[in-house]
Amino acid sequence: MTIRENKKTIQNVVIPKMIEEIPNDYFKASEQPGTLIDLYYDTYESFSYEKKSRPLKKHAIVYLPYGYNENQKYDVFYLMHGGWGDETTMLGTPAKPSSFKNVIDNAIAAGEINPLIIVCPTYNNTNENGLDSANFSLAMQLTRNYHKELLNDLIPAVEGTYSTYAAGTSKEDLIASRDHRGFGGFSMGAVATWRIFQYGLDYFRYFLPMSCGTTLDDENIFSAAKWHNPYDYFVFIMTGTNDFAYSYDKARMELMRSSPYFIDIDDSVDGNFAFRIKQGYSHDMRAAMEYIYNGLKAFWGVQDEIKGQSENNLNLRKNQSRKIFTANTKIEDVIKDPAFKDFGRFLFPTNKNYYSGNTLGELSLMWYNNINPNKTVEIVNYLKEKADSGETIFYDIYSNEEKLQDPSKKDTGLFFFRGKTGSKTAIICAGGGFVYVGAMQDSFPHALELSKKGYNAFALIYRPGAQTGCEDLARAIAFLYENADELGIDMKDYSLWGGSAGARLVTWLGSYGTENFGEKQYPRPAVVIMQYTGLSEVTGKEPPTFACVGTNDWIVPYKVMEDRINKIRKNGIDAEIKIFPGLSHGFGLGEGTIAEGWINDAIKFWEKHMKK
């Protein structure tokens, strides 16, 4: 997996305070009209899609902006109709365009909306006067199943025919271009929109559910965002005070505000969703047109006024995110801070049974000792500052496709503590008994100190387990080799560091190599730095090894580590061990203890084995 496959651009979405009315002149024919096209494609009846027992020939109305150019890339918005409607409801047909098609033409000509492609599909199984959508129960079932047709048939048909940001029609190409794709709908089309959020979030960035007048399994729908950066998607909800959907949308908005997947910064700044209400508006086409007009301007608008508001909103967000963490800051507030997006959950054990304390100063990790609250605060503020300044501090090591095939791989990644460009690289694995990853004591502090010395350091979040941990470490090594130039790091003579269970991982990778854990063969590390682990085996293939442990470690008898280091030496391999009287398990950097400064000895050991 390369960084380009993983990189996501956070786009700023600006929502006006009030829903703006469509200028009356916009309903007249434009001097720069776009083109409507009937696009036919093959699909299958929704209820038997997997069996493909009933093939269907369906069509969608495609809007191409005035001056459409095959050499230019266009954003795409998929716009679904409501009940008693079909694919012609919103923009009409090529022979008989609707007045709303004129609105889109004029808004683009006026520079309010960037030229884009709009696709009007239908969730109906037949094209007979929208009879499917007139049946509420049937329509609810069809919207639940519609994503299969949309993702597998319609999007490839559209974006394989017209010029969009998708490099091709493969699943990977469509996912990679999601920043330039949105989905929206009115009434039953809003139900379809929420279902696409649930099942198609990998393919879409923008969502416009308008007047969704029914209850849905919201918590289940929202949880589809669990593995996404919360700024990787934006939901804009609109309805009217006289609309029967108002109470449903208002209740859903309150759920969103309490959900971990949606960010609501304050009353003046929208996070990754917005809720706007139009006074006096009902559940009708007038409202639908106005909502769509406002939504497209918000997602792909170009007005100077909106640009200015965008800058103000962005500054407010930055001011919000630059609040300094202290020892009294709640751990949950750190995890949910917008600076850390969706990877904030990896800063502390994802299983809360393995840590205690409500604040940074109270943090306690199972099996660990000598946690320094000042270091914890320093680490989270360092990471926050880097993230707020626009630096990438977290990298996925598995592709979206791999995560779909094995969801457990979503719980992995690399935190980057940047040193000097072109400097050597260290990879650090925290311990946690192979049941959690204690990064805040066992890898983040080490990575921060290494970066201060100018070295590039990566703290690995891996799947707890001996085998899965080794596989993830092997993948991390492969990822860093494949992306070394773009990251600005030197992987020659890299080092592996680990504590407790993490020490076993780095030792096994050092002895057996990446080729034994699912990756191709990459060079072995120059050295392995290990803390407090009871591993006794010696293969004779160990890299130079530096170890440290305390004499009062109730988990790891220090004699076991000492004996192993002596065996490595007998094999003619350089090895050192530091034994600290009175120290217990999991002392990390050992600040304020007899072990303080051991990391400097470990760095010297590594430097000794760097090839000149």
Side-chain angles (χ1 to χ4, degrees):
M1 179 185 179
T2 66
I3 289 175
R4 287 186 185 86
E5 291 172 325
N6 176 53
K7 189 176 291 182
K8 300 178 187 294
T9 302
I10 296 178
Q11 298 177 359
N12 188 42
V13 180
V14 182
I15 307 299
K17 294 291 183 186
M18 302 290 292
I19 297 173
E20 298 175 8
E21 294 186 7
I22 300 171
N24 288 331
D25 288 348
Y26 280 17
F27 290 97
K28 300 177 182 178
S30 171
E31 294 180 359
Q32 297 182 5
T35 303
L36 294 183
I37 297 172
D38 255 328
L39 177 71
Y40 285 85
Y41 63 98
D42 295 318
T43 187
Y44 299 90
E45 186 270 328
S46 295
F47 300 121
S48 61
Y49 189 92
E50 284 78 8
K51 296 180 181 179
K52 303 188 184 303
S53 60
R54 184 186 173 196
L56 295 177
K57 173 72 75 172
K58 291 181 67 171
H59 75 119
I61 300 297
V62 178
Y63 171 88
L64 299 180
Y66 176 80
Y68 169 80
N69 185 338
E70 292 183 353
N71 296 317
Q72 178 179 339
K73 295 179 179 180
Y74 295 89
D75 299 305
V76 190
F77 186 70
Y78 292 79
L79 176 59
M80 182 63 78
H81 60 83
W84 291 274
D86 62 17
E87 61 276 11
T88 68
T89 299
M90 293 298 186
L91 296 179
T93 68
K96 190 177 180 181
S98 71
S99 61
F100 186 58
K101 188 261 186 185
N102 295 338
V103 171
I104 301 299
D105 288 338
N106 284 301
I108 292 175
E112 290 187 335
I113 301 172
N114 276 322
L116 81 166
I117 295 172
I118 300 175
V119 182
C120 293
T122 182
Y123 53 79
N124 295 330
N125 278 336
T126 68
N127 296 319
E128 299 174 2
N129 301 318
L131 294 180
D132 289 348
S133 65
N135 182 324
F136 179 83
S137 178
L138 175 59
M140 288 291 286
Q141 295 180 64
L142 291 172
T143 55
R144 184 184 290 274
N145 289 339
Y146 179 70
H147 66 279
K148 302 169 188 175
E149 174 185 327
L150 174 70
L151 304 181
N152 294 320
D153 302 322
L154 179 58
I155 295 180
V158 171
E159 303 194 32
T161 303
Y162 304 107
S163 182
T164 72
Y165 283 85
T169 58
S170 69
K171 183 177 182 179
E172 293 76 16
D173 288 336
L174 296 177
I175 289 175
S177 56
R178 66 183 292 274
D179 284 352
H180 301 279
R181 192 176 298 115
F183 193 101
F186 181 78
S187 192
M188 190 58 71
V191 176
T193 303
W194 279 116
R195 291 304 179 190
I196 300 308
F197 184 92
Q198 180 178 9
Y199 297 113
L201 188 54
D202 284 344
Y203 295 79
F204 290 87
R205 184 185 190 94
Y206 302 109
F207 297 88
L208 189 66
M210 302 164 285
S211 294
C212 184
T214 186
T215 56
L216 298 169
D217 50 340
D218 294 306
E219 293 296 338
N220 187 36
I221 290 174
F222 296 168
S223 66
K226 182 176 182 180
W227 307 113
H228 277 264
N229 173 341
Y231 280 115
D232 268 354
Y233 51 90
F234 193 96
V235 180
F236 187 7
I237 303 170
M238 283 177 277
T239 192
T241 56
N242 291 353
D243 193 321
F244 72 87
Y246 171 71
S247 59
Y248 293 98
D249 280 330
K250 188 174 185 297
R252 186 171 292 109
M253 180 272 298
E254 293 298 338
L255 285 175
M256 293 171 74
R257 283 183 167 168
S258 62
S259 168
Y261 311 118
F262 292 97
I263 300 170
D264 187 23
I265 294 179
D266 58 37
D267 291 338
S268 62
V269 182
D270 299 302
N272 64 355
F273 76 100
F275 181 50
R276 297 292 185 270
I277 306 163
K278 188 72 172 184
Q279 191 68 34
Y281 271 38
S282 300
H283 200 84
D284 54 30
M285 192 60 184
R286 172 199 177 195
M289 290 190 291
E290 202 156 285
Y291 300 156
I292 298 165
Y293 167 72
N294 279 266
L296 293 182
K297 288 209 303 178
F299 296 157
W300 292 297
V302 292
Q303 282 183 308
D304 290 339
E305 180 182 350
I306 289 181
K307 285 182 178 179
Q309 185 180 353
S310 171
E311 292 175 2
N312 291 336
N313 280 3
L314 187 57
N315 288 335
L316 283 169
R317 285 181 188 167
K318 288 180 176 178
N319 290 337
Q320 172 76 12
S321 64
R322 283 176 181 163
K323 291 180 180 177
I324 303 300
F325 299 131
T326 70
N328 294 323
T329 302
K330 291 182 179 179
I331 292 172
E332 283 298 316
D333 289 342
V334 176
I335 292 172
K336 294 179 180 179
D337 191 280
F340 300 135
K341 305 163 191 173
D342 63 336
F343 54 80
R345 61 195 179 90
F346 295 138
L347 293 170
F348 303 90
T350 53
N351 186 330
K352 295 183 179 180
N353 292 326
Y354 294 105
Y355 77 86
S356 60
N358 293 320
T359 67
L360 295 176
E362 297 168 347
L363 175 66
S364 177
L365 299 171
M366 185 175 289
W367 305 311
Y368 281 96
N369 291 276
N370 307 108
I371 295 176
N372 181 355
N374 293 331
K375 181 60 67 176
T376 302
V377 172
E378 181 185 4
I379 289 165
V380 294
N381 278 319
Y382 165 88
L383 291 171
K384 182 179 176 60
E385 179 183 355
K386 295 297 182 182
D388 284 341
S389 66
E391 291 189 27
T392 301
I393 62 171
F394 183 82
Y395 290 93
D396 285 324
I397 56 175
Y398 291 107
S399 66
N400 288 330
E401 181 67 28
E402 289 171 311
K403 292 178 185 179
L404 287 172
Q405 294 175 357
D406 183 354
S408 70
K409 291 180 178 178
K410 295 175 181 178
D411 289 334
T412 63
L414 286 167
F415 282 93
F416 188 12
F417 293 72
R418 182 177 293 279
K420 295 180 181 178
T421 301
S423 291
K424 303 290 185 184
T425 302
I427 308 168
I428 308 135
C429 295
F434 290 128
V435 293
Y436 79 98
V437 179
M440 194 56 74
Q441 170 72 346
D442 231 10
S443 61
F444 292 162
H446 307 61
L448 180 59
E449 293 308 304
L450 285 162
S451 70
K452 291 178 181 179
K453 300 286 186 181
Y455 294 111
N456 292 299
F458 294 85
L460 175 65
I461 305 300
Y462 59 89
R463 293 170 291 168
Q467 180 64 32
T468 53
C470 284
E471 291 172 1
D472 295 341
L473 178 53
R475 171 53 63 93
I477 294 169
F479 174 85
L480 295 178
Y481 263 101
E482 292 168 4
N483 295 285
D485 289 342
E486 190 164 350
L487 289 166
I489 63 174
D490 181 3
M491 283 297 289
K492 183 179 178 182
D493 299 324
Y494 71 94
S495 58
L496 293 180
W497 301 58
S500 197
R504 290 177 180 258
L505 297 182
V506 300
T507 299
W508 287 327
L509 262 292
S511 297
Y512 297 109
T514 54
E515 64 273 21
N516 283 294
F517 298 102
E519 300 295 330
K520 73 177 185 180
Q521 184 174 357
Y522 288 93
R524 304 287 175 88
V527 298
V528 164
I529 313 294
M530 56 188 298
Q531 293 183 271
Y532 33 76
T533 196
L535 184 67
S536 60
E537 68 179 36
V538 174
T539 65
K541 298 179 180 179
E542 285 72 25
T545 302
F546 181 99
C548 64
V549 65
T551 59
N552 281 5
D553 195 317
W554 70 96
I555 295 176
V556 178
Y558 76 92
K559 280 290 186 181
V560 173
M561 289 192 73
E562 188 176 38
D563 289 345
R564 183 173 184 275
I565 291 298
N566 288 333
K567 290 177 183 178
I568 293 175
R569 287 173 178 160
K570 287 181 181 179
N571 289 331
I573 300 169
D574 190 16
E576 294 182 18
I577 187 168
K578 299 287 183 182
I579 301 173
F580 301 110
L583 276 191
S584 299
H585 191 78
F587 54 79
L589 291 181
E591 293 172 307
T593 74
I594 191 174
E596 185 167 357
W598 74 263
I599 191 171
N600 295 323
D601 294 329
I603 291 172
K604 289 177 183 177
F605 183 84
W606 177 24
E607 291 172 340
K608 179 172 67 170
H609 291 280
M610 293 178 185
K611 296 180 178 64
K612 303 299 181 182

